[in-house]
Every structure is written in structure tokens, then in C-alpha cells.
Amino acid sequence: MSSSESRPSRRSLLASSGAVAMAAAAGVAAGGPAAAAGPAAGPSAGHGRRGSAALIVHHARVFTGLPGGRPVEAVAVGRDGRILATGRDGELRRLSGRDTEVVDARGATVMSGIHDGHVHPLGAGKRSLRPSLEGAETTETELLGILTGFLEDSPGQEPDGWLVVEDWNPVGLLPQGTAPHHTLLDRLPTRRPVALVGGDGHNIWVNGRALRIAGIDASTPDPVGGKIVKGADGQPTGVLKDDAQPLVTRHIPEPDPAELTAACARALERAAASGVTTMMDAWVGRGELMTYQALAASGKLPQRVVPAIRIEADQAKDPAGALAYAKGLRREFEGVRALRFGMVKVFLDGVIEHPAQTAALLEPYLDGAGRPTDNRGELYVSALDYGRLTAAFNRAGWQMHAHGLGDRAVRTALDGYAWARRATGLRDTRNAVAHLQLVDPADLGRFARLGVVACMQLQWAAQDTWTMEALLPYIGPKRHRWMYPARSLERQGARLSGGSDWPVDALQVWNQIRTAVDRRGAHGEGELYRELEGLDRGSALRMHTYGTAWQLRMDRLTGTVREGRAADLVVLDRDVTRCPVEDISDTRVELTLVDGRVVHDARSESGRAAAAGLARAAQGPRPASYEAVHGDRHRACGCGGH
């Protein structure tokens, strides 16, 4: 990225840029109260235009995120952590002083940092403390062998120490027709409780000992928003879905707080190495807020974070109580540097892929041979209850973030937002629906009319085993065409934001942006309706910067590269605005800055370690085929035997 002559300057940048951000820490500390209210005084304050820049990045192709305008080649960062100026290389030379750090981008892109509008970074840290199945498909014998190895790796835990294994693939047990059951896990050579946590976040599979500890038997009712899977004999199989999972997980001891904080710090370093400068943690309770508090206290919280406080399905029926709960957490933790409160998250449905099929659909799932079933998925909150809940939070100045994956859940969210809009008269609420895996075309225009943000995870918008073999046979081609309808939403005037949903999937920000364009990505087996739903490159970049900043009410602070905005910037190793689309996936972030402070340097020891961790995670196994699970049934849907 930089010339060899500039490398010493880049090394000293790490030290000096910490001082650059000191002034910002007082009033615009990442996500602090001043940041929440919008930008502080522009570059005329403090060191201003009359002073020299703390940092200048030049010889760049700057993606400003702004419409029109002349080309920008350089960015100057002031000593208050704000963007001092942008323009041509020659124009910014006047801002260079004796102590100004200068970085040569060598024609690569400089742009706003990535804003991740739906992510679970602390979950990624927590998962890293446990053994992982890496989403692999296995036979019963293979699975028992792997789990036996995990038991041997943790001696001295008999009989009561939990074995918790992450990233179990809920549809990966082979051969065809094999369903997860606690009796298989009961064959392990242990008396310990065993839990396999689904990589999708919606399923957990436990052994008989864990069921007994949780007190789950044939008479245990399904909780609101969850399902205890039971066999033909009425007995629990050991699989629990969605809000039934806490029946077991509340009995699993939490990791040591210090170990958890260290693991989460490493996860946040990886996010910074990906170029992420702002994130919305999409499922937060008191425990997560305590971890953020510890991270901030130890100086290990590099990003701005909007915590979306989780509201359970049963809480949704009591808007006043839910609001009081959220306000209580805000009072307790609002002094934590880098956190900006004002968002809550509600699950409206589950997941759509076979065999889970808990996403709420307008029309029933198919049986794989084209015949309708009596299953339309599960809707956890009614439109009226969601509307009342939304009205209560919007009146108090809070925003809503709904998990809406199936088309019935998406419509429910929109109906709830419409109800709240009528009840409150409020317009600029910036409520959102996340995932939008399936949207009925009749609902596309409602996003713009209601001012609802479409928060999409477009790294999944590709032909692969998940979208084709585990889904197409069970919804049919007519509905399948409306998978992740990004361009259709954009054409109808909807505001798009981007999110990774990490660690449900590996954190691959740049492949995410590429897939939004070519609908294939680095791992797809084909394009998923690219000509109909692929975005242009500018739209894909904006939805992951300004679009998410707008969603999070940070658009007056971050998300674009312009004078007076916070210097939340990334310097890349290539020009992502012009390189071949397929090359975007391999983009490396050279520098990441938040408020002008370097939070990732690819040439530092910590930067190299974080980048290596990202690369390892991206190389994790992915299911190659569900042929053994589905047999020939998927051919009935007309997908050509994919």
C-alpha cells in the first residue's frame, strides 16, 4: 500500500494517532453522548483549518459515499479526530505540517469504515472459548468420534462438567433421514451433560443428562416463541428451537469473566481488521452489557457500538414493562464509553431452511415434491402486539429492530410499524426489519412508505446448498425468486443497510459487499437472480456505510467522507470501486481509524494476528451438498437437479 519510504511514518502513526484522538475522547468518544447527538464543532474549532493536519492520506481513490461531486484523491484528518478536508492531492499539501503523518494509498480505496447493522461480536468471542464442529456434515459414527475427542481434551470434568460444542450444523447429520436424537449423544463415553449449539443460533441438541437437568420431559409445554421437538412417542428428542433453548442454556455455567473479556477483545480486533468501525449488536442483555463495560474499562473496545436490547416474545405483550426494562439497562450502563443506547430487538420468526422451517410464511411450506403441507412456520409475536410495542418504544425515542426472515414475519413487522405510525404520528423512527430472506412483492413498496430500513445480509444471496437444496424444493420457484430482493427494494425507494450476522457466518465483510453485486460471492455455486436483484457497486458500498449509519442515527457523524465528519476511515489494499468484482472478496484492510485513532494496522503484530484469525475462519468447512439428506426430492421443484 505505502511506499517503502513511508513505512517509518506509518509505524509512528500508531503512536501519534492516539494523541490525535485524545481531544475527540472528551466530546466525541466513539459513540459517546456527543456522538449520539451528532457531530461536534467542525474543523474550525480547536486546531481547525489554520492548523496543520494530524494525518493526510493521499494518492487515494476516495469513495466519499456522497452523490456526484468531483474526484477526491486525499483526506486530511484534524487533531480533533474529525475529517479536516478532502480534495486533490495538491490542494491538501497546505495542511501538511512538520509533525503531520502522511500515508500513501498508492491508488487504493479510502472510504468510510464499515458499519455492521446486525452482528453478534460478543457471541463470536464466547464461541471461540468452546470446541467447534465448524458446521461440518457428519455421519453418526464420525460425530461420536469428534465429540469423544472433545471429551478427551477436557479431562477431570466427570460427571457434572458441561461439554458445550459450538457450530453444530442442524441439517448436517448423515445419511439421509437421520434425525438428531438424545439417544445418539447418550452413547458417548461420559456421564456429563452435553449440548451442541447450532451455528444458526436457532437450535440446540442435548443429551439425556442435559434434559434431566433442565427438567424437560413429555409434559413440558413449548415456551412462547420456542419449540421442544418431540418424537412420535411424545418424548423430547433433545432438540430445542429458538426460545426453548434457554430451558437448557440457563443451566450451563458462564465462562470466566476475564477469559470471556479477552476472547471478545480478540473478536473485536478481527472486526477492526475487517474495517468495521461501527456495529449494532443485535441481541444484548445485562450479561453482554457487563462484558462491554469490562472491554471499555480495559481500553479494548475499538468500535462504536449500538446495543440492541433483546425483548423476548412474552415481554412483547407488555409494552410498558418492556420499555421499563430497556430504560433500566440504559440507566445502568449509559456511562460506558462507546455505547449508544436506543435500540431494541425482537424475534418475529425463526429460520426457513429444511428441516427447521420455523420462519413464518404466508403460504405453507412444500413437502419437497411440490405438495403443500400444513406448516406455515411459527410467528412469535402478532402484528397488533408488535405495533403496540413499537408505539411505546418510538414515543420514548427508541428504535425497533425485528428479525423477520419469512414473508409472513416481514409483513407482520410492517403491519406493526404501520399501526404504530398511525397511533403515534411519528415519521422519522428508523425502525428496521433484518434478514428479509423472503419478501412478498406486495410488501416491497411499504418499506419506503413507512420509512422502514431493510437490513440485509447479502453474503447469503448466492446459489448454494442452503438456498437451493435446503430451500428451493420447500417453497417452490415462484417464491424462491423473491429471495433477498435487494434491487427490488432499492427501486421501490427503500433504504438499505448491511449486516454480517457474525458469527452465524464467518466475518467476511468484503465478500459480503461483492455478493451484493454479483449474487454469487466467493463460495456460491451460481448466481442467485443477479440480473433481477444484484446491486451496483456504489449501492453495495453505501448500504454498508451510510445506509447503516442512517439506520443507527449516526449519519450526521459517520458513514460518509466529508469535512466535519468523524475520521472513521479505512485504507484498503486495492481500489474496490474499479477492480474486477470477484477481486473485492480478497480485499485486505491496511488501516482502520475511529475518530482518527488507528485501531488496526495490517503491519503491526496485533494486526497480523487479527488478519490471520479472519483468514482461518474464512477457510472453515462449508457444506458441499445435501444430496445425502434430500435424495432426489429436490428435482421435483424444477431446479434442474442442482
Side-chain angles (χ1 to χ4, degrees):
M1 184 214 60
S2 299
S3 65
S4 59
E5 291 80 11
S6 68
R7 287 182 184 176
S9 176
R10 292 184 71 257
R11 285 197 293 269
S12 63
L13 177 63
L14 289 172
S16 67
S17 60
V20 172
M22 287 181 64
V28 291
S44 60
H47 289 272
R49 283 195 177 278
R50 290 170 295 181
S52 61
L55 165 69
I56 295 176
V57 184
H58 68 143
H59 293 163
R61 184 167 182 84
V62 180
F63 179 79
T64 64
L66 300 169
R70 62 195 182 109
V72 175
E73 301 170 337
V75 180
V77 177
R79 299 173 190 275
D80 58 355
R82 296 298 180 108
I83 296 173
L84 184 60
T86 65
R88 300 282 193 177
D89 287 335
E91 295 170 345
L92 268 61
R93 286 176 187 160
R94 61 187 173 81
L95 297 174
S96 181
R98 287 176 298 177
D99 60 347
T100 299
E101 302 291 344
V102 179
V103 175
D104 184 351
R106 299 182 65 183
T109 297
V110 173
M111 58 182 283
S112 162
I114 297 298
H115 291 55
D116 195 323
H118 188 105
V119 65
H120 309 276
L122 303 189
K126 188 173 183 179
R127 284 190 185 191
S128 70
L129 294 174
R130 295 167 172 168
S132 172
L133 288 168
E134 304 287 358
E137 292 177 316
T138 63
T139 64
E140 291 184 351
T141 300
E142 290 168 341
L143 178 62
L144 290 174
I146 294 170
L147 296 179
T148 298
F150 291 155
L151 289 167
E152 292 172 350
D153 289 340
S154 55
Q157 299 293 312
E158 294 287 347
D160 300 320
W162 283 78
L163 174 65
V164 181
V165 181
E166 298 288 348
D167 302 311
W168 162 57
N169 182 350
V171 295
L173 193 59
L174 305 176
Q176 176 186 347
T178 305
H181 198 279
H182 70 80
T183 54
L184 174 60
L185 301 182
D186 292 344
R187 287 160 50 188
L188 288 167
T190 183
R191 292 176 292 167
R192 296 168 61 182
V194 177
L196 309 188
V197 181
D200 60 359
H202 293 267
N203 295 270
I204 192 169
W205 176 20
V206 301
N207 66 354
R209 175 78 192 284
L211 288 172
R212 290 191 293 275
I213 290 173
I216 298 172
D217 57 26
S219 65
T220 307
D222 290 335
V224 175
K227 184 176 182 61
I228 301 168
V229 179
K230 296 177 181 177
D233 59 359
Q235 297 295 323
T237 65
V239 176
L240 297 95
K241 297 179 179 294
D242 293 312
D243 285 352
Q245 296 177 89
L247 297 176
V248 166
T249 56
R250 65 191 180 198
H251 297 281
I252 299 175
E254 290 295 319
D256 175 76
E259 290 183 1
L260 177 61
T261 300
C264 291
R266 290 191 294 271
L268 294 176
E269 287 178 352
R270 292 185 181 183
S274 297
V276 177
T277 56
T278 296
M279 56 180 67
M280 193 203 78
D281 189 323
W283 198 234
V284 171
R286 191 173 187 277
E288 288 80 8
L289 291 172
M290 290 177 66
T291 301
Y292 278 122
Q293 187 177 51
L295 287 163
S298 60
K300 299 292 186 180
L301 185 48
Q303 290 91 1
R304 307 177 193 272
V305 177
V306 176
I309 295 173
R310 61 176 177 257
I311 301 297
E312 307 288 357
D314 56 348
Q315 290 178 290
K317 295 181 178 295
D318 178 15
L323 180 59
Y325 166 72
K327 285 183 173 180
L329 288 177
R330 180 174 64 181
R331 283 194 300 271
E332 186 175 357
F333 293 98
E334 64 184 348
V336 176
R337 179 182 175 275
L339 298 187
R340 187 192 70 77
F341 287 87
M343 186 81 68
V344 295
K345 161 79 177 294
V346 180
F347 271 99
L348 296 185
D349 68 345
V351 293
I352 195 170
E353 288 82 11
H354 181 273
Q357 297 184 332
T358 53
L361 302 186
L362 293 169
E363 299 296 331
Y365 288 92
L366 307 179
D367 63 3
R371 296 183 296 268
T373 68
D374 60 358
N375 177 27
R376 291 201 302 146
E378 300 180 30
L379 189 65
Y380 303 145
V381 180
S382 72
L384 181 58
D385 283 343
Y386 191 65
R388 289 170 172 165
L389 184 74
T390 298
F393 275 97
N394 285 172
R395 284 192 184 104
W398 290 65
Q399 298 168 258
M400 303 295 293
H401 191 86
H403 169 112
L405 202 146
D407 53 9
R408 183 159 61 110
V410 173
R411 180 167 294 178
T412 296
L414 294 171
D415 288 348
Y417 292 147
W419 191 96
R421 190 181 178 99
R422 291 191 298 270
T424 65
L426 297 172
R427 293 294 181 264
D428 188 25
T429 53
R430 307 194 192 186
N431 299 315
V433 184
H435 305 317
L436 305 165
Q437 189 166 355
L438 191 62
V439 182
D440 189 274
D443 290 322
L444 295 171
R446 301 181 68 196
F447 282 82
R449 291 197 297 272
L450 294 171
V452 174
V453 181
C455 180
M456 308 189 81
Q457 290 65 55
L458 294 180
Q459 71 272 22
W460 300 329
Q463 285 192 25
D464 58 18
T465 53
W466 299 97
T467 58
M468 304 303 289
E469 297 174 42
L471 185 54
L472 179 53
Y474 304 101
I475 63 173
K478 184 177 179 180
R479 283 184 289 183
H480 194 267
R481 174 263 174 272
W482 293 104
M483 292 269 291
Y484 304 110
R487 192 194 299 180
S488 293
L489 283 163
E490 183 182 51
R491 283 176 172 171
Q492 294 277 358
R495 289 185 179 269
L496 304 183
S497 73
S500 67
D501 210 10
W502 178 50
V504 173
D505 200 3
L507 185 62
Q508 299 179 73
V509 165
W510 301 98
N511 184 59
Q512 187 175 316
I513 292 170
R514 170 214 169 156
T515 311
V517 177
D518 71 5
R519 305 280 288 197
R520 179 172 187 146
H523 310 292
E525 300 166 14
E527 296 175 352
L528 189 71
Y529 310 117
R530 179 187 61 81
E531 292 186 358
L532 296 171
E533 300 299 347
L535 298 174
D536 66 46
R537 206 178 305 210
S539 292
L541 291 168
R542 279 190 295 272
M543 74 179 285
H544 291 88
T545 51
Y546 178 77
T548 304
W550 194 90
Q551 171 193 329
L552 302 180
R553 294 192 182 278
M554 289 187 175
D555 51 303
R556 295 183 60 219
L557 176 70
T558 64
T560 52
V561 182
R562 63 190 300 184
E563 182 179 324
R565 295 296 192 257
D568 293 9
L569 303 169
V570 291
V571 181
L572 308 181
D573 70 341
R574 67 197 66 193
D575 181 4
V576 295
T577 69
R578 289 185 172 181
C579 70
V581 171
E582 59 270 21
D583 289 350
I584 297 174
S585 294
D586 298 323
T587 298
R588 188 176 75 162
V589 178
E590 295 286 353
L591 284 175
T592 305
L593 295 88
V594 176
D595 272 332
R597 175 174 53 92
V598 173
V599 297
H600 167 73
D601 182 337
R603 289 194 174 91
S604 70
E605 183 177 353
S606 61
R608 287 193 297 270
L614 283 171
R616 285 193 299 272
Q619 296 302 316
R622 293 171 178 268
S625 174
Y626 289 155
E627 180 68 20
V629 179
H630 298 291
D632 288 338
R633 288 177 293 168
H634 66 281
R635 291 189 170 87
C637 69
C639 65
H642 176 86

